[in-house]
Amino acid sequence: MNRVPTIATAATLSAIGGLHVAWGRGSTVPFPSREELNDTVIGRPATPSPTACYAVAVLLLAAGGLVAGLPKPQSLIRRTGVIVVASTLAARAALGFTGRTDLIAAGSVSERFRTMDRRLFAPLCAALSIGAFASLTTGARSSRSPHRAE
């Protein structure tokens, strides 16, 4: 059983959640300025409110927990949550690849954002979607006892 994709997906979702907490607190990491962060990550000059950053952070951290196997690997709530997470990430990837992220994030139209969206954000969302879906089968295998009789 290979849990590496599940762990990597959960850790990445959680790390991105942590980044949103930092942005909500006023950090611009990994960018040198608010303007560069906004242009690259948001696609417009307006900065989201701390509340908006924290809301996204909570969703990403919850997604990371679901992918990791919480509350219980085979619980209906976890499986449903992972399907929602994976489907949302797949839809976000599709919008990014087609240059239509502005349909869900109004005003996200800067050229730098669209370039980064196609090169980094959309592929990352696609990979996270696949990892989230894969965690459903990893969770199923990991819930079985490795010592059961054959």
Side-chain angles (χ1 to χ4, degrees), residues 3-97:
R3 289 193 34 89
V4 172
T6 295
I7 293 166
T9 301
T12 301
L13 288 165
S14 298
I16 297 169
L19 198 54
H20 280 77
V21 169
W23 292 339
R25 296 184 50 80
S27 174
T28 61
V29 77
F31 301 94
S33 70
R34 174 68 54 194
E35 293 76 22
E36 193 170 346
L37 170 67
N38 288 352
D39 189 36
T40 305
V41 177
I42 302 161
R44 62 181 184 271
T47 299
S49 69
T51 302
C53 292
Y54 297 145
V56 171
V58 166
L59 292 172
L60 287 163
L61 292 166
L66 288 166
V67 169
L70 301 173
K72 293 180 183 175
Q74 291 305 304
S75 72
L76 179 60
I77 206 165
R78 187 253 171 184
R79 293 183 63 74
T80 302
V82 169
I83 290 168
V84 169
V85 166
S87 299
T88 300
L89 288 165
R92 171 61 182 85
L95 289 169
F97 283 128

Side-chain angles (χ1 to χ4, degrees), residues 117-140:
D117 203 15
R118 285 190 177 111
R119 289 184 184 167
L120 178 64
F121 306 143
L124 178 60
C125 287
L128 291 171
S129 175
I130 292 166
F133 274 124
S135 77
L136 293 172
T137 59
T138 301

Side-chain angles (χ1 to χ4, degrees), residues 107-120:
S108 296
V109 295
S110 82
E111 195 55 42
R112 182 178 179 136
F113 171 78
R114 287 190 176 199
T115 298
M116 289 299 292
D117 203 15
R118 285 190 177 111
R119 289 184 184 167
L120 178 64

